[in-house]
Amino acid sequence: MFVSDILAYKGERVISVAPNDGLAAAIATLAARRIGAVLVLDAGGAIVGILSERDVLHAMARDGAAALNRKVSEVMTGSVVTCDPDASIEHVMQTMTDRRFRHLPVVRQGRLCGMISIGDVVRLRLEEQRREADALREYITAA
Ligand code: AMP
């Protein structure tokens, strides 16, 4: 199974904010969309960062309510790890575990084409395990 299998049911839409947006507006987007991270894109659509609820938590712990007045660019993670749609599910599970994050933007030949979360990966893995178990059960009962 591959990252492209996740995009096939999830689609390629990516929720994003701009680096100059205020943190309060970005938090409103996270809440309204019921997601844990947004990608930060510049005016040309290039990836300049990622803002997750973890970044919000750290900013609030450091600055309290004043954090709400900061810009997204001051709070986001600037160096973003991406994956290819042809990457295997095992590969992205390993990356998320090693790097300790739960989100990966998907980039095909320099073009952003989706965003996957650890929830998407677990869901696909469960489906795969269910299918394997069904196939084994069928094999055993047919024997
Ligand atoms: P998460 O577990 O995804 O909520 O994120 C934990 C931390 O890792 C936060 O500081 C995020 O900004 C950062 N982060 C999340 N995804 C990525 C990614 N794909 N590349 C780089 N940093 C990330």
Side-chain angles (χ1 to χ4, degrees):
M1 300 297 266
F2 301 93
V3 167
S4 54
D5 294 312
I6 295 177
L7 298 184
Y9 77 79
K10 186 177 183 178
E12 299 201 347
R13 186 139 182 263
V14 178
I15 311 292
S16 66
V17 297
N20 283 332
D21 286 351
L23 189 60
I27 293 172
T29 300
L30 290 171
R33 303 286 187 162
R34 296 172 173 268
I35 52 177
V38 280
L39 212 49
V40 186
L41 304 181
D42 70 12
I47 300 173
V48 292
I50 187 163
L51 179 83
S52 97
E53 50 203 6
R54 192 75 59 87
D55 300 310
V56 174
L57 187 85
H58 288 151
M60 300 292 289
R62 197 173 46 228
D63 300 334
L68 296 172
N69 300 319
R70 297 180 70 187
K71 282 187 194 170
V72 164
S73 59
E74 298 174 271
V75 177
M76 69 185 193
T77 300
S79 167
V80 181
V81 178
T82 64
C83 68
D84 191 274
D86 295 332
S88 70
I89 294 305
E90 285 72 22
H91 177 77
V92 297
M93 283 170 80
Q94 195 65 58
T95 302
M96 287 178 171
T97 304
D98 292 346
R99 309 293 290 257
R100 293 171 178 265
F101 51 58
R102 298 163 291 180
H103 300 89
L104 270 176
V106 188
V107 175
R108 179 190 288 121
Q109 287 165 1
R111 193 184 71 84
L112 177 64
C113 61
M115 173 95 135
I116 62 168
S117 73
I118 201 162
D120 301 319
V121 173
V122 169
R123 176 182 161 158
L124 194 77
R125 197 72 189 93
L126 277 175
E127 274 173 26
E128 198 177 22
Q129 279 175 352
R130 243 177 247 131
R131 263 200 303 274
E132 281 169 8
D134 286 348
L136 275 175
R137 231 174 268 123
E138 218 169 277
Y139 175 76
I140 290 165
T141 51

